[in-house]
Amino acid sequence: MVLKAFFPTCCASADSGLLVGRWVPEQSSAVVLAVVHFPFIPIQVKELLAQVQQASRVGVAVLGTWCHRRQESEESLGHFLEGLSAIFSHEPWLQLCRERGSKFWSFKATHRQVPASPGAPGQDQVMLIFYDQRKVLLSQLHPPAALPDHQAGDATASAGGLAAVFDTVARSEVLFRSDQFDEGPVRLSHWQSEGVEASILVELAKQASGPICLLLACLLSLISAASTSRVFKLWPLSFIWSKLSTCEQLRHRLGQLTLIFSTQKAENPAQLMRKANMLVSVFLDVALGLALLSWLHGKDRIGQLADALVPVADHVAEELQHLLQWLMGAPAGLKMNRALDQVLGRFFLYHIHLWINIIALLTFHIYCFYVYGARLYCMKICGLSSLWRLFRGKKWNVLRQRVDSCSYDLDQLFIGTLLFTILVFLLPTTALYYLVFTLLRLLVVTVQGLIHLLVDLVNSLPLYSLGLRLCRPYRLAAGVKFRVLEHEAGRPLRLLMQINPLPYSRVVHTYRLPSCGCHPKHSWGSLCRKLFFGELIYPWRQRGDKQD
Amino acid sequence: MEVEQSFSDICGGRLALQRRYYSPSCREFCVSCPRLSLRSLTAVTCTVWLAAYGLFTLCENSMILSAAIFITLLGLLGYLHFVKIDQETLLIIDSLGIQMTSSYASGKESTTFIEMGKVKDLVINEAIYMISAIWFIFLQQKVIYYLCILLKDPVEPHGISQVVPVFQSAKPRLDCLIEVYRSCQEILAHQKATSASP
């Protein structure tokens, strides 16, 4: 297999020294984590590596030598470096070399145990892959590769070779703790942070976050204990609580806040993202609410809205009156049964007259009309179906819940036929009223549904993850991509490994928060069935309601 | 080493295949699709604007004209950024994996990398392709060849979990595919030989 060396880009201009990292034999690849510079004492280097190995459970070892020739006359350095392989033995021993100012590197890997055979790895069989240490350290692969067995000192490589590289760099964070201003016995070169956070405010915030979280957690637990007390379980309070969507939303947010301020630390990155997403969602909710409130209060807009509501209610009532007049005439050229038409029309008109003064209930009369129309239609359909069965000599057996044959007397048949004829000829009139009011009701239900959807969207959209994908795309990685760097024959192949960020659709799919779930109860088929038979439709049900 | 050859795709358009051999263990194949033709762009723009002008003479609303210009611009930008692929590249690296890149006309690049551990084989497959001639009434069927990567099934050692087609937008003909196939199989054979030995 081709021998691959993963080399951090930050060490490309470092001085000569030893290469420190991890060797993965299954992939035949070496992950270089840092460079140890001269002068050093071998015992101290070994001690440092043992410490790092114990703290991070990654098999860190000296892999080889790194030579960055500044001048032509540093030949002695080469011999010195070769002597080091006797002190730090590693199989295979890597020798990376670079001329100052040159783009081309040389890379040799020597195996001591295997004797030099004709097929020994030459320049063709080695590959240099550069990677950005900071980005690989902070990034997170999706889907997370299930790495086995963190107990073992040197975890065996996972199924994905690249996941092993990411995992090695992430777990060796303890090696990167020393920053550029630290003075230690061993001088290392790797990705270094700028030092402890320079801003005092950030440090104070970090220190204060612990006690604040504790306080808020206690407060929230008190509130949730109070809300589940016996007082609220009495009817009608419990009924109101379950019906109002405000209360449902409040309950949802309370649950989310309890999770955010719980004193347990997030166990894995997915939980951390979830907490962050919830926090941002709560902030957005509060911010939108405050913005709406301030907009309404400015320039007495509430008064203006209330003033506008009265003529709108009047307008709706007027339109309904016109609609009923139209139905009482000859709607769409259909001939209605005059007497029944008048009765139904006058009945509904009377209701409008009753309600024209009630401003607050804009669409309540539509709902009532729908219920009346639906009930009438339903009764009609029931009667028709029963009499139709009479014609065929069958009967509905309530005990067995099926249709059975039955022999009727002559007078039963006669009355049945009469009633059937009457109902059939009155059907178009009732059906038309039912159709019109059902359409109006469906319109109102659609508007309600859209509002529910909007609330759901605000609740479940993972804004923090989307922001992270926008501003720091290397944190959420779908994979890697390679670019071949300038190549010269006879030199080893050089590749640049970059992080391929996760597409936005997958970010939303992976990190979406669980919404409070007001989904339509019916499928399209059952909805059509209910409409045809005149059964009442209540499409929106909260989760946890009893089925009726 | 860089070699360029010209081939044609299944509809008869001209394609250029560029082969770069970086090293015996790394090869790159780049297929460039025919560019956006000025003729079709002019035809579409003229049709949309004539239709908008016709509506304008009916309705006397100048918003229709501005809307038509807006829609044409947005449509062109969307087409260049999301639909029109300029170049498709296949990079195969021994013992690392296979990488497929599509570059769009607006400069956007979308990359997929498949690790060598997941690759079972690279094959040329046949497929039946429907070409609609004359207003979707007469549908003609054609047998075309496409190059695809077979992925291993983690559960079953000899099974195939997925088939990933390569050069989907360019759709080169069999002669081009054979060249790419032969080159890639050399690397895959070497990879299998070295991974089998301990």
mmCIF file of all heavy atoms in Angstrom, chain A residues 1-2 4 6 124-125 127 129 160-162 480-482 484 487 493 495 500, chain B residues 22-26 91 93-96 99 111-113 115 190-191 194-195:
data_model
loop_
_atom_site.group_PDB
_atom_site.id
_atom_site.type_symbol
_atom_site.label_atom_id
_atom_site.label_comp_id
_atom_site.label_asym_id
_atom_site.label_seq_id
_atom_site.Cartn_x
_atom_site.Cartn_y
_atom_site.Cartn_z
ATOM 1 N N MET A 1 0.853 -1.201 0.000
ATOM 2 C CA MET A 1 0.000 0.000 0.000
ATOM 3 C C MET A 1 0.877 1.234 0.000
ATOM 4 O O MET A 1 1.967 1.233 0.547
ATOM 5 C CB MET A 1 -0.850 0.009 1.268
ATOM 6 C CG MET A 1 -2.327 0.056 0.969
ATOM 7 S SD MET A 1 -3.245 0.655 2.350
ATOM 8 C CE MET A 1 -3.935 -0.858 2.909
ATOM 9 N N VAL A 2 0.355 2.264 -0.603
ATOM 10 C CA VAL A 2 1.109 3.518 -0.642
ATOM 11 C C VAL A 2 1.193 4.094 0.772
ATOM 12 O O VAL A 2 0.193 4.126 1.500
ATOM 13 C CB VAL A 2 0.400 4.517 -1.578
ATOM 14 C CG1 VAL A 2 1.111 5.818 -1.583
ATOM 15 C CG2 VAL A 2 0.290 3.945 -2.970
ATOM 16 N N LYS A 4 1.172 6.938 3.346
ATOM 17 C CA LYS A 4 0.677 8.309 3.341
ATOM 18 C C LYS A 4 1.128 8.995 4.617
ATOM 19 O O LYS A 4 1.060 8.415 5.699
ATOM 20 C CB LYS A 4 -0.851 8.307 3.290
ATOM 21 C CG LYS A 4 -1.391 7.505 2.120
ATOM 22 C CD LYS A 4 -2.882 7.417 2.171
ATOM 23 C CE LYS A 4 -3.348 6.304 3.070
ATOM 24 N NZ LYS A 4 -3.421 5.018 2.378
ATOM 25 N N PHE A 6 0.283 12.426 6.759
ATOM 26 C CA PHE A 6 -0.560 13.607 6.918
ATOM 27 C C PHE A 6 0.253 14.644 7.671
ATOM 28 O O PHE A 6 0.596 14.454 8.837
ATOM 29 C CB PHE A 6 -1.821 13.247 7.705
ATOM 30 C CG PHE A 6 -2.775 12.392 6.915
ATOM 31 C CD1 PHE A 6 -2.632 11.013 6.884
ATOM 32 C CD2 PHE A 6 -3.807 12.959 6.196
ATOM 33 C CE1 PHE A 6 -3.497 10.230 6.152
ATOM 34 C CE2 PHE A 6 -4.682 12.182 5.472
ATOM 35 C CZ PHE A 6 -4.528 10.815 5.441
ATOM 36 N N ASP A 124 7.768 6.514 -5.620
ATOM 37 C CA ASP A 124 6.415 6.356 -6.146
ATOM 38 C C ASP A 124 5.444 5.886 -5.092
ATOM 39 O O ASP A 124 4.251 6.045 -5.243
ATOM 40 C CB ASP A 124 6.403 5.326 -7.286
ATOM 41 C CG ASP A 124 7.409 5.652 -8.336
ATOM 42 O OD1 ASP A 124 7.736 6.840 -8.465
ATOM 43 O OD2 ASP A 124 7.861 4.712 -8.997
ATOM 44 N N GLN A 125 5.943 5.267 -4.058
ATOM 45 C CA GLN A 125 5.047 4.594 -3.145
ATOM 46 C C GLN A 125 4.778 5.411 -1.893
ATOM 47 O O GLN A 125 4.293 4.876 -0.909
ATOM 48 C CB GLN A 125 5.657 3.239 -2.760
ATOM 49 C CG GLN A 125 6.003 2.397 -3.941
ATOM 50 C CD GLN A 125 4.795 1.669 -4.476
ATOM 51 O OE1 GLN A 125 3.774 1.620 -3.807
ATOM 52 N NE2 GLN A 125 4.917 1.115 -5.664
ATOM 53 N N MET A 127 3.274 9.296 -0.282
ATOM 54 C CA MET A 127 2.391 10.412 -0.613
ATOM 55 C C MET A 127 2.340 11.358 0.581
ATOM 56 O O MET A 127 2.250 10.913 1.719
ATOM 57 C CB MET A 127 0.994 9.830 -0.824
ATOM 58 C CG MET A 127 0.245 10.443 -1.955
ATOM 59 S SD MET A 127 -1.427 9.918 -1.955
ATOM 60 C CE MET A 127 -1.304 8.309 -2.601
ATOM 61 N N ILE A 129 0.233 14.359 2.385
ATOM 62 C CA ILE A 129 -1.077 15.005 2.385
ATOM 63 C C ILE A 129 -1.058 16.100 3.427
ATOM 64 O O ILE A 129 -0.859 15.834 4.618
ATOM 65 C CB ILE A 129 -2.193 13.986 2.693
ATOM 66 C CG1 ILE A 129 -2.135 12.861 1.670
ATOM 67 C CG2 ILE A 129 -3.546 14.650 2.655
ATOM 68 C CD1 ILE A 129 -3.046 11.723 2.003
ATOM 69 N N GLY A 160 -13.513 3.765 8.438
ATOM 70 C CA GLY A 160 -13.106 4.831 7.537
ATOM 71 C C GLY A 160 -11.715 5.286 7.910
ATOM 72 O O GLY A 160 -11.459 5.682 9.034
ATOM 73 N N GLY A 161 -10.785 5.262 6.954
ATOM 74 C CA GLY A 161 -9.423 5.675 7.262
ATOM 75 C C GLY A 161 -9.329 7.122 7.647
ATOM 76 O O GLY A 161 -8.563 7.492 8.514
ATOM 77 N N LEU A 162 -10.136 7.991 6.977
ATOM 78 C CA LEU A 162 -10.057 9.410 7.268
ATOM 79 C C LEU A 162 -10.672 9.737 8.607
ATOM 80 O O LEU A 162 -10.251 10.674 9.277
ATOM 81 C CB LEU A 162 -10.747 10.199 6.154
ATOM 82 C CG LEU A 162 -9.915 10.151 4.894
ATOM 83 C CD1 LEU A 162 -10.736 10.590 3.718
ATOM 84 C CD2 LEU A 162 -8.692 11.019 5.032
ATOM 85 N N VAL A 480 -14.274 15.029 3.077
ATOM 86 C CA VAL A 480 -13.073 15.789 2.727
ATOM 87 C C VAL A 480 -12.974 15.895 1.224
ATOM 88 O O VAL A 480 -13.650 15.173 0.495
ATOM 89 C CB VAL A 480 -11.794 15.127 3.269
ATOM 90 C CG1 VAL A 480 -11.771 15.155 4.757
ATOM 91 C CG2 VAL A 480 -11.657 13.722 2.761
ATOM 92 N N LYS A 481 -12.112 16.813 0.750
ATOM 93 C CA LYS A 481 -11.800 16.844 -0.680
ATOM 94 C C LYS A 481 -10.309 17.084 -0.829
ATOM 95 O O LYS A 481 -9.679 17.702 0.027
ATOM 96 C CB LYS A 481 -12.610 17.914 -1.405
ATOM 97 C CG LYS A 481 -12.589 19.277 -0.799
ATOM 98 C CD LYS A 481 -13.573 20.152 -1.531
ATOM 99 C CE LYS A 481 -13.613 21.524 -0.876
ATOM 100 N NZ LYS A 481 -14.661 22.363 -1.350
ATOM 101 N N PHE A 482 -9.784 16.579 -1.901
ATOM 102 C CA PHE A 482 -8.342 16.619 -2.132
ATOM 103 C C PHE A 482 -8.029 17.471 -3.342
ATOM 104 O O PHE A 482 -8.769 17.509 -4.308
ATOM 105 C CB PHE A 482 -7.785 15.212 -2.368
ATOM 106 C CG PHE A 482 -7.803 14.366 -1.132
ATOM 107 C CD1 PHE A 482 -8.873 13.541 -0.861
ATOM 108 C CD2 PHE A 482 -6.750 14.403 -0.234
ATOM 109 C CE1 PHE A 482 -8.899 12.771 0.276
ATOM 110 C CE2 PHE A 482 -6.774 13.637 0.911
ATOM 111 C CZ PHE A 482 -7.845 12.823 1.166
ATOM 112 N N VAL A 484 -4.622 18.229 -5.908
ATOM 113 C CA VAL A 484 -3.243 17.825 -6.189
ATOM 114 C C VAL A 484 -2.397 19.082 -6.343
ATOM 115 O O VAL A 484 -2.714 19.950 -7.157
ATOM 116 C CB VAL A 484 -3.195 16.990 -7.476
ATOM 117 C CG1 VAL A 484 -1.782 16.513 -7.721
ATOM 118 C CG2 VAL A 484 -4.139 15.823 -7.388
ATOM 119 N N HIS A 487 3.464 19.269 -9.059
ATOM 120 C CA HIS A 487 4.135 17.982 -9.011
ATOM 121 C C HIS A 487 5.320 17.960 -9.967
ATOM 122 O O HIS A 487 5.258 18.513 -11.048
ATOM 123 C CB HIS A 487 3.102 16.928 -9.403
ATOM 124 C CG HIS A 487 3.645 15.557 -9.430
ATOM 125 N ND1 HIS A 487 4.081 14.898 -8.307
ATOM 126 C CD2 HIS A 487 3.812 14.704 -10.448
ATOM 127 C CE1 HIS A 487 4.504 13.704 -8.651
ATOM 128 N NE2 HIS A 487 4.362 13.553 -9.934
ATOM 129 N N LEU A 493 4.261 12.596 -4.427
ATOM 130 C CA LEU A 493 3.017 13.286 -4.745
ATOM 131 C C LEU A 493 2.564 14.108 -3.537
ATOM 132 O O LEU A 493 2.590 13.625 -2.411
ATOM 133 C CB LEU A 493 1.966 12.241 -5.105
ATOM 134 C CG LEU A 493 0.605 12.763 -5.543
ATOM 135 C CD1 LEU A 493 0.732 13.474 -6.867
ATOM 136 C CD2 LEU A 493 -0.353 11.608 -5.652
ATOM 137 N N LEU A 495 -0.621 16.310 -1.858
ATOM 138 C CA LEU A 495 -2.048 16.607 -1.936
ATOM 139 C C LEU A 495 -2.423 17.556 -0.811
ATOM 140 O O LEU A 495 -1.813 17.523 0.258
ATOM 141 C CB LEU A 495 -2.871 15.318 -1.762
ATOM 142 C CG LEU A 495 -2.682 14.223 -2.782
ATOM 143 C CD1 LEU A 495 -3.287 12.941 -2.258
ATOM 144 C CD2 LEU A 495 -3.334 14.595 -4.088
ATOM 145 N N ASN A 500 -14.945 19.302 3.343
ATOM 146 C CA ASN A 500 -16.111 19.495 2.497
ATOM 147 C C ASN A 500 -17.302 19.767 3.423
ATOM 148 O O ASN A 500 -17.707 18.872 4.158
ATOM 149 C CB ASN A 500 -16.336 18.193 1.719
ATOM 150 C CG ASN A 500 -17.087 18.414 0.447
ATOM 151 O OD1 ASN A 500 -17.349 19.529 0.054
ATOM 152 N ND2 ASN A 500 -17.456 17.320 -0.195
ATOM 153 N N TYR B 22 -0.489 12.184 -12.764
ATOM 154 C CA TYR B 22 0.424 12.827 -11.827
ATOM 155 C C TYR B 22 1.520 11.863 -11.411
ATOM 156 O O TYR B 22 2.668 12.213 -11.267
ATOM 157 C CB TYR B 22 -0.330 13.311 -10.593
ATOM 158 C CG TYR B 22 -1.292 14.432 -10.892
ATOM 159 C CD1 TYR B 22 -2.653 14.244 -10.796
ATOM 160 C CD2 TYR B 22 -0.838 15.681 -11.266
ATOM 161 C CE1 TYR B 22 -3.533 15.270 -11.062
ATOM 162 C CE2 TYR B 22 -1.711 16.714 -11.532
ATOM 163 C CZ TYR B 22 -3.054 16.496 -11.432
ATOM 164 O OH TYR B 22 -3.922 17.500 -11.692
ATOM 165 N N SER B 23 1.098 10.626 -11.115
ATOM 166 C CA SER B 23 2.078 9.624 -10.705
ATOM 167 C C SER B 23 1.424 8.277 -10.974
ATOM 168 O O SER B 23 0.245 8.239 -11.293
ATOM 169 C CB SER B 23 2.409 9.796 -9.216
ATOM 170 O OG SER B 23 1.479 9.115 -8.430
ATOM 171 N N PRO B 24 2.153 7.183 -10.881
ATOM 172 C CA PRO B 24 1.508 5.877 -11.126
ATOM 173 C C PRO B 24 0.350 5.592 -10.178
ATOM 174 O O PRO B 24 -0.460 4.714 -10.437
ATOM 175 C CB PRO B 24 2.644 4.881 -10.902
ATOM 176 C CG PRO B 24 3.877 5.656 -11.117
ATOM 177 C CD PRO B 24 3.605 7.047 -10.700
ATOM 178 N N SER B 25 0.269 6.329 -9.064
ATOM 179 C CA SER B 25 -0.821 6.040 -8.150
ATOM 180 C C SER B 25 -1.876 7.135 -8.141
ATOM 181 O O SER B 25 -2.792 7.098 -7.335
ATOM 182 C CB SER B 25 -0.268 5.858 -6.740
ATOM 183 O OG SER B 25 0.502 6.990 -6.391
ATOM 184 N N CYS B 26 -1.793 8.112 -9.023
ATOM 185 C CA CYS B 26 -2.770 9.201 -9.007
ATOM 186 C C CYS B 26 -3.053 9.671 -10.419
ATOM 187 O O CYS B 26 -2.138 10.104 -11.116
ATOM 188 C CB CYS B 26 -2.211 10.340 -8.157
ATOM 189 S SG CYS B 26 -3.274 11.755 -8.130
ATOM 190 N N LEU B 91 -10.952 12.054 -10.000
ATOM 191 C CA LEU B 91 -9.573 11.939 -9.511
ATOM 192 C C LEU B 91 -9.471 10.630 -8.754
ATOM 193 O O LEU B 91 -10.214 10.414 -7.796
ATOM 194 C CB LEU B 91 -9.268 13.117 -8.593
ATOM 195 C CG LEU B 91 -7.930 13.129 -7.863
ATOM 196 C CD1 LEU B 91 -6.798 13.349 -8.839
ATOM 197 C CD2 LEU B 91 -7.915 14.233 -6.824
ATOM 198 N N ILE B 93 -7.002 8.161 -6.578
ATOM 199 C CA ILE B 93 -5.739 8.109 -5.840
ATOM 200 C C ILE B 93 -5.629 6.737 -5.206
ATOM 201 O O ILE B 93 -6.512 6.326 -4.440
ATOM 202 C CB ILE B 93 -5.693 9.182 -4.742
ATOM 203 C CG1 ILE B 93 -6.038 10.548 -5.318
ATOM 204 C CG2 ILE B 93 -4.311 9.231 -4.107
ATOM 205 C CD1 ILE B 93 -6.245 11.600 -4.275
ATOM 206 N N ASP B 94 -4.565 6.057 -5.522
ATOM 207 C CA ASP B 94 -4.366 4.711 -5.017
ATOM 208 C C ASP B 94 -4.311 4.710 -3.496
ATOM 209 O O ASP B 94 -3.619 5.522 -2.895
ATOM 210 C CB ASP B 94 -3.038 4.176 -5.590
ATOM 211 C CG ASP B 94 -2.862 2.696 -5.326
ATOM 212 O OD1 ASP B 94 -3.799 2.084 -4.784
ATOM 213 O OD2 ASP B 94 -1.789 2.173 -5.644
ATOM 214 N N SER B 95 -5.050 3.813 -2.895
ATOM 215 C CA SER B 95 -5.138 3.593 -1.452
ATOM 216 C C SER B 95 -5.704 4.781 -0.679
ATOM 217 O O SER B 95 -5.672 4.791 0.542
ATOM 218 C CB SER B 95 -3.782 3.195 -0.858
ATOM 219 O OG SER B 95 -3.023 4.329 -0.510
ATOM 220 N N LEU B 96 -6.249 5.814 -1.348
ATOM 221 C CA LEU B 96 -6.963 6.867 -0.619
ATOM 222 C C LEU B 96 -8.438 6.835 -0.993
ATOM 223 O O LEU B 96 -9.299 6.709 -0.132
ATOM 224 C CB LEU B 96 -6.412 8.246 -0.969
ATOM 225 C CG LEU B 96 -5.637 8.967 0.105
ATOM 226 C CD1 LEU B 96 -5.370 10.383 -0.321
ATOM 227 C CD2 LEU B 96 -6.330 8.968 1.438
ATOM 228 N N GLN B 99 -12.432 10.685 -6.124
ATOM 229 C CA GLN B 99 -13.102 11.961 -5.915
ATOM 230 C C GLN B 99 -13.756 12.427 -7.202
ATOM 231 O O GLN B 99 -13.148 12.402 -8.262
ATOM 232 C CB GLN B 99 -12.072 13.001 -5.474
ATOM 233 C CG GLN B 99 -12.661 14.395 -5.336
ATOM 234 C CD GLN B 99 -11.693 15.332 -4.672
ATOM 235 O OE1 GLN B 99 -11.427 15.224 -3.487
ATOM 236 N NE2 GLN B 99 -11.160 16.244 -5.445
ATOM 237 N N THR B 111 -18.170 18.665 -4.705
ATOM 238 C CA THR B 111 -17.220 17.547 -4.656
ATOM 239 C C THR B 111 -17.762 16.416 -3.810
ATOM 240 O O THR B 111 -18.377 16.657 -2.774
ATOM 241 C CB THR B 111 -15.904 18.024 -4.011
ATOM 242 O OG1 THR B 111 -15.594 19.304 -4.509
ATOM 243 C CG2 THR B 111 -14.766 17.081 -4.341
ATOM 244 N N THR B 112 -17.513 15.199 -4.253
ATOM 245 C CA THR B 112 -17.824 14.015 -3.436
ATOM 246 C C THR B 112 -16.590 13.139 -3.399
ATOM 247 O O THR B 112 -15.980 12.890 -4.425
ATOM 248 C CB THR B 112 -18.954 13.190 -4.085
ATOM 249 O OG1 THR B 112 -19.891 14.058 -4.646
ATOM 250 C CG2 THR B 112 -19.610 12.291 -3.077
ATOM 251 N N PHE B 113 -16.232 12.663 -2.203
ATOM 252 C CA PHE B 113 -15.060 11.807 -2.079
ATOM 253 C C PHE B 113 -15.498 10.471 -1.503
ATOM 254 O O PHE B 113 -16.195 10.429 -0.507
ATOM 255 C CB PHE B 113 -14.032 12.470 -1.167
ATOM 256 C CG PHE B 113 -12.792 11.649 -0.975
ATOM 257 C CD1 PHE B 113 -11.867 11.536 -1.989
ATOM 258 C CD2 PHE B 113 -12.559 10.960 0.198
ATOM 259 C CE1 PHE B 113 -10.731 10.775 -1.833
ATOM 260 C CE2 PHE B 113 -11.426 10.193 0.377
ATOM 261 C CZ PHE B 113 -10.510 10.104 -0.642
ATOM 262 N N GLU B 115 -14.062 6.866 -0.068
ATOM 263 C CA GLU B 115 -12.824 6.220 0.384
ATOM 264 C C GLU B 115 -12.623 4.877 -0.289
ATOM 265 O O GLU B 115 -13.575 4.193 -0.639
ATOM 266 C CB GLU B 115 -12.888 6.022 1.891
ATOM 267 C CG GLU B 115 -12.824 7.317 2.634
ATOM 268 C CD GLU B 115 -12.731 7.087 4.124
ATOM 269 O OE1 GLU B 115 -11.869 6.290 4.541
ATOM 270 O OE2 GLU B 115 -13.528 7.662 4.844
ATOM 271 N N HIS B 190 -3.777 -2.551 -8.942
ATOM 272 C CA HIS B 190 -2.600 -2.384 -8.079
ATOM 273 C C HIS B 190 -3.015 -2.255 -6.634
ATOM 274 O O HIS B 190 -2.414 -2.829 -5.719
ATOM 275 C CB HIS B 190 -1.829 -1.139 -8.544
ATOM 276 C CG HIS B 190 -0.590 -0.896 -7.752
ATOM 277 N ND1 HIS B 190 -0.463 0.142 -6.877
ATOM 278 C CD2 HIS B 190 0.563 -1.587 -7.692
ATOM 279 C CE1 HIS B 190 0.725 0.097 -6.312
ATOM 280 N NE2 HIS B 190 1.378 -0.941 -6.796
ATOM 281 N N GLN B 191 -4.084 -1.501 -6.401
ATOM 282 C CA GLN B 191 -4.598 -1.296 -5.042
ATOM 283 C C GLN B 191 -5.037 -2.628 -4.448
ATOM 284 O O GLN B 191 -4.739 -2.937 -3.300
ATOM 285 C CB GLN B 191 -5.752 -0.289 -5.119
ATOM 286 C CG GLN B 191 -6.882 -0.479 -4.161
ATOM 287 C CD GLN B 191 -6.540 -0.023 -2.774
ATOM 288 O OE1 GLN B 191 -5.607 0.723 -2.597
ATOM 289 N NE2 GLN B 191 -7.261 -0.486 -1.786
ATOM 290 N N THR B 194 -1.939 -4.825 -3.557
ATOM 291 C CA THR B 194 -1.176 -4.436 -2.367
ATOM 292 C C THR B 194 -2.005 -4.555 -1.105
ATOM 293 O O THR B 194 -1.473 -4.795 -0.035
ATOM 294 C CB THR B 194 -0.676 -2.987 -2.473
ATOM 295 O OG1 THR B 194 -1.764 -2.184 -2.911
ATOM 296 C CG2 THR B 194 0.466 -2.878 -3.453
ATOM 297 N N SER B 195 -3.321 -4.400 -1.200
ATOM 298 C CA SER B 195 -4.107 -4.490 0.030
ATOM 299 C C SER B 195 -4.312 -5.939 0.422
ATOM 300 O O SER B 195 -4.514 -6.245 1.594
ATOM 301 C CB SER B 195 -5.454 -3.803 -0.127
ATOM 302 O OG SER B 195 -6.234 -4.509 -1.061
#
